[in-house]
Amino acid sequence: MLKKIDLDARLFVGAALALFFIGGTLTTVMPPLIDKSWGKPFENSDPSKGPTGKLLPYTAQEKKGLAIYTREGCWYCHTQQTRTLLADTKRSGWRGVDAPVSTPDEFVYDSPHMFGTKRTGPDLSHVGGKYDAQWHRTHFRNPRDLVPGSIMPPFPWIANNEEEFQALVAYLQRLGRAKNWRPDNDYEK
Amino acid sequence: MEEQLVIESTHAGTRTVTPTLHRDATAKWFLISSVSYFFIVGMIALAIAAKFVWPELLGTVSILTYGRLRPLHVNGMLFGWLLACDMGLTFYFVPRLCGVRLWSEKLGLATAGLWNVIILGAVVELLAGHNQGLEYAELPMWLDILVVIAWVMYGTNILMTVATRKYQQMYVSLWYTMGTILWTPFVYLTGNFATLFATGVNQANLNWMYVHNAVGLIFTPVGLAIAYYFIPRASNAPLHSHRLSMIGFWSLAFVYVWTGAHHMLHGPISQWLQTIAIAFSVMLLIPVWTVVYNFFATMKGQWQLVRENVSLKFLMSGVVFYLLTCFQGPMHSLRTVNAIVSKTDWIPGHAHMALLGGFSFFAIAGTYYVLPRIYNTKLYSDTLANWSYWLFMIGGLGFFVCLWLGGFWQGWQWNNPSIPFIDTVTALKPIWMVRFFSGVLMFAGITAFLYNFMATILYAGAENETHA
């Protein structure tokens, strides 16, 4: 068999593509058909089944914020996933409350997805409502004014552009808010 | 009998082919542009490494901010340097392994031209922030379409050359090159087009399938094609085992495509899919170890050649880095290890060992081997070539080792939530300093490589003129 493929280019092409498509289809096309939570927005009104809340579609302004987040490459340094690791739920938590683990149904409207692969800065999956707009403005002008030792670049062209700044903040404030996980509802605006 | 055939086909090029048969114009242009991009994008690499140490550097200009330069570094190195250089080298050895001329030099030159349009377009678009927001798939749609067109032009040329071959048996390098040509369109279309019709986790899964297979089914097979061609050539020994190379090839073809989800271990993606990805990631040891064993066995009794031959130096160090990086990969697919290293600075250390230490070393080796032959001259300076090797080697090791140590340490700190996040950032500053200076050494290596390359071409031109 191997020897035959060695001599016949057409047989080679067929075999190489067949092997590729077995794994390719089973790992990309099939999973969303089996696991429905990939495409169904989060919604829960029963506190006994975990945090309540509902994932809302993006507003026009939030969408613009996501576009700015994408354009500036924020996602190269900030992940957006609270993983199934105890430390992740604590680090994404706020004022003593641990954040819930991220689930696929919280990201149904995200395109491009912003899960990220590298965590040079902190994870932002639950950053929504932690800091107010004034904090963000100062932080974008120069991150080191608020967080000494930070290596985040300054973004004066966003802080000084009212429309872009408001859009980006609107986007950030929505992150991790589908699940109502903070009992005091102490979200900053 | 089988082994005999292989030896013959490996040596076929030198036995029957006269030097005038091959024109190599396409190979020349791909190599010239890729080596130039290596240098240019190397400067961007240094700039972003510097930004980790001095975050204010060039920081208030939007087009020079980290988030704009990083995609330019990644895409520039992947497509401007490495893939273009790999294509140039296949344009050299495919006609030789087939015993015929390249099917069409005109088409080849048009491909080289189009490839340069794509890279220059990418520079403008990425600096302007026109980023699609998906890793390795940052380029805007019009450039994606041009990439597909260029790939079809490239694939047609190579496949037609294979179709018109004189020698029936196909050497390993031909399979790997053809595999690359066949898989790339599907991998690329998944990452750049199919993702646009999906959102959230579904999109991420397609994205990681593309990212992983861009390395596994594009850079790996074409890189191995190069190593399979140049290791026996540079050491003047036949390949150890043809059968082993077949096992390596077909297991790679089957196993790689399943592993994409290991980029999201512990993340919001189905657990069973994570487990499948882990199982197949571990199975990757099979294609890797068969390939590496074959290379080492080919070198048996010939290791003294490494001292004198700069191509072999790069090739065999590349094999060692390939072995190491492909041992790391399966290991940090395991959940326990992943919980420490994932998302840390370990990961760029790992990625750079694969693409720089492994596949770029193969490409540099191939370029050093091919250059004097296509220009019918001698390499400008062997000493400078040796310098470039040691600069790459020491800079590379400094880079890899400091990021592994730093990344592991960082991961442990993250797993202790009583350490504030910012303290885990400041702790890594010495590591990033070492990374920057390792980068300076590697950039010096690139500079020596570029200078040697260009000087060889210019001297060859001058020599030919005096002869005429």
Side-chain angles (χ1 to χ4, degrees):
Chain A
M1 179 65 194
L2 281 177
K3 178 113 195 195
K4 241 190 200 165
I5 289 181
D6 208 15
L7 299 173
D8 187 339
R10 267 173 304 178
L11 196 60
F12 172 93
V13 170
L17 286 181
L19 287 180
F20 173 83
F21 273 104
I22 296 171
T25 350
L26 288 178
T27 54
T28 59
V29 180
M30 198 195 59
L33 301 176
I34 291 180
D35 194 334
K36 299 289 180 203
S37 76
W38 287 24
K40 197 170 144 260
F42 172 80
E43 188 171 1
N44 179 29
S45 49
D46 180 358
S48 67
K49 287 182 184 164
T52 55
K54 188 178 178 199
L55 179 71
L56 299 172
Y58 283 95
T59 65
Q61 194 188 32
E62 288 165 355
K63 220 174 200 152
K64 188 159 186 246
L66 171 59
I68 296 163
Y69 188 93
T70 309
R71 181 189 75 199
E72 300 302 344
C74 307
W75 48 289
Y76 289 119
C77 294
H78 295 285
T79 54
Q80 287 188 21
Q81 42 179 318
T82 301
R83 296 172 296 168
T84 51
L85 299 175
L86 182 66
D88 263 31
T89 61
K90 299 225 177 274
R91 288 196 182 277
S92 293
W94 192 240
R95 293 184 181 147
V97 183
D98 293 353
V101 164
S102 298
T103 46
D105 50 11
E106 289 177 85
F107 303 93
V108 174
Y109 299 115
D110 288 13
S111 184
H113 76 85
M114 287 290 135
F115 291 118
T117 44
K118 178 78 196 340
R119 199 171 273 181
T120 303
D123 180 77
L124 299 183
S125 57
H126 289 88
V127 79
K130 285 183 184 172
Y131 308 97
D132 64 16
Q134 190 49 49
W135 186 94
H136 281 298
R137 194 189 294 277
T138 313
H139 190 246
F140 284 132
R141 283 220 174 99
N142 185 4
R144 276 152 295 284
D145 286 351
L146 291 175
V147 189
S150 165
I151 60 161
M152 180 167 139
F155 291 93
W157 58 94
I158 298 175
N160 296 331
N161 179 332
E162 201 51 32
E163 201 197 337
E164 289 207 341
F165 173 74
Q166 295 296 347
L168 185 56
V169 170
Y171 169 70
L172 291 173
Q173 299 297 34
R174 111 177 218 124
L175 294 177
R177 296 279 290 275
K179 289 178 184 165
N180 214 353
W181 58 282
R182 275 155 60 177
D184 296 338
N185 276 310
D186 52 345
Y187 298 106
E188 304 281 354
K189 288 221 167 68
Chain B
M1 179 61 209
E2 197 190 26
E3 298 298 304
Q4 192 61 35
L5 263 177
V6 183
I7 297 165
E8 275 179 22
S9 72
T10 1
H11 289 284
T14 42
R15 270 197 302 117
T16 52
V17 174
T18 54
T20 48
L21 178 69
H22 302 291
R23 282 182 54 216
D24 293 320
T26 309
K28 283 177 189 168
W29 281 110
F30 264 105
L31 291 179
I32 290 173
S33 53
S34 67
V35 174
S36 311
Y37 289 129
F38 199 13
F39 178 78
I40 295 164
V41 181
M43 289 193 266
I44 292 165
L46 267 191
I48 63 177
K51 280 164 176 283
F52 274 80
V53 186
W54 301 285
E56 311 277 340
L57 181 77
L58 310 170
T60 48
V61 189
S62 67
I63 61 163
L64 296 176
T65 194
Y66 179 86
R68 306 277 178 98
L69 292 185
R70 193 195 118 137
L72 191 54
H73 163 61
V74 172
N75 285 277
M77 282 302 185
L78 288 185
F79 300 109
W81 147 245
L82 188 53
L83 193 56
C85 186
D86 287 349
M87 290 198 281
L89 293 172
T90 60
F91 277 120
Y92 171 86
F93 68 68
V94 169
R96 281 167 177 79
L97 286 173
C98 294
V100 291
R101 272 195 180 166
L102 182 66
W103 185 63
S104 165
E105 286 286 351
K106 264 190 197 150
L107 180 63
L109 287 172
T111 316
L114 180 57
W115 203 258
N116 278 285
V117 170
I118 293 167
I119 302 302
L120 295 174
V123 173
V124 175
E125 292 282 32
L126 291 175
L127 286 182
H130 298 158
N131 183 327
Q132 279 193 333
L134 298 168
E135 216 160 356
Y136 283 20
E138 284 95 345
L139 299 185
M141 182 54 75
W142 69 275
L143 286 170
D144 293 344
I145 294 170
L146 289 187
V147 170
V148 174
I149 295 172
W151 196 261
V152 171
M153 291 161 72
Y154 166 68
T156 311
N157 216 346
I158 296 290
L159 292 180
M160 287 310 287
T161 308
V162 174
T164 56
R165 71 189 184 280
K166 261 210 229 144
Y167 314 121
Q168 194 198 7
Q169 185 171 34
M170 292 176 287
Y171 179 63
V172 210
S173 296
L174 286 184
W175 317 334
Y176 275 103
T177 308
M178 290 197 295
T180 312
I181 290 169
L182 293 171
W183 298 320
T184 299
F186 299 103
V187 171
Y188 195 81
L189 292 173
T190 307
N192 292 278
F193 297 92
T195 42
L196 304 179
F197 300 97
T199 61
V201 174
N202 196 1
Q203 186 188 55
N205 188 44
L206 297 172
N207 185 199
W208 300 136
M209 184 273 196
Y210 163 63
V211 167
H212 195 79
N213 292 304
V215 179
L217 292 176
I218 301 177
F219 291 107
T220 299
V222 75
L224 293 181
I226 289 164
Y228 266 116
Y229 183 81
F230 289 105
I231 289 175
R233 269 300 150 89
S235 65
N236 227 346
L239 184 68
H240 168 71
S241 163
H242 186 61
R243 179 167 296 272
L244 209 52
S245 64
M246 287 174 137
I247 296 171
F249 178 82
W250 291 106
S251 54
L252 177 110
F254 181 62
V255 171
Y256 236 113
V257 73
W258 297 75
T259 57
H262 72 200
H263 289 252
M264 277 187 76
L265 293 186
H266 300 109
I269 196 165
S270 319
Q271 286 292 330
W272 56 269
L273 190 60
Q274 298 185 22
T275 307
I276 290 177
I278 293 169
F280 278 84
S281 301
V282 175
M283 276 193 261
L284 278 177
L285 292 174
I286 301 169
V288 174
W289 287 2
T290 49
V291 164
V292 170
Y293 178 77
N294 216 353
F295 290 155
F296 280 154
T298 302
M299 286 301 288
K300 201 173 167 190
Q302 316 256 31
W303 285 98
Q304 77 282 359
L305 292 173
V306 172
R307 200 184 317 143
E308 300 298 327
N309 186 326
V310 78
S311 279
L312 269 182
K313 273 197 184 77
F314 273 108
L315 283 166
M316 296 325 288
S317 320
V319 173
V320 173
F321 283 136
Y322 175 67
L323 177 68
L324 284 176
T325 200
C326 291
F327 186 67
Q328 285 182 337
M331 289 310 115
H332 45 71
S333 298
L334 304 175
R335 283 194 174 87
T336 43
V337 183
N338 189 274
I340 300 169
V341 299
S342 182
K343 320 278 182 284
T344 68
D345 277 73
W346 172 288
I347 302 301
H350 164 69
H352 279 81
M353 188 162 60
L355 290 161
L356 178 88
F359 304 128
S360 290
F361 270 34
F362 293 159
I364 296 168
T367 307
Y368 273 131
Y369 181 92
V370 158
L371 188 66
R373 287 170 173 84
I374 53 180
Y375 282 96
N376 207 10
T377 180
K378 266 171 50 182
L379 191 64
Y380 168 73
S381 163
D382 288 325
T383 315
L384 196 58
N386 259 320
W387 269 97
S388 76
Y389 170 79
W390 287 108
L391 288 165
F392 272 116
M393 190 66 185
I394 296 168
L397 278 177
F399 186 105
F400 309 147
V401 173
C402 82
L403 286 190
W404 299 331
L405 295 176
F408 221 82
W409 181 32
Q410 188 182 28
W412 267 334
Q413 293 182 73
W414 286 353
N415 277 296
N416 176 356
S418 66
I419 302 175
F421 189 86
I422 187 64
D423 291 357
T424 72
V425 174
T426 46
L428 253 71
K429 286 189 176 175
I431 298 284
W432 292 327
M433 185 67 95
V434 176
R435 188 250 296 266
F436 173 71
F437 284 108
S438 306
V440 172
L441 288 181
M442 289 192 279
F443 185 69
I446 297 178
T447 312
F449 175 49
L450 174 84
Y451 185 81
N452 212 350
F453 181 92
M454 293 301 177
T456 305
I457 295 175
L458 293 177
Y459 275 72
E463 224 171 66
N464 290 346
E465 260 167 41
T466 48
H467 285 310

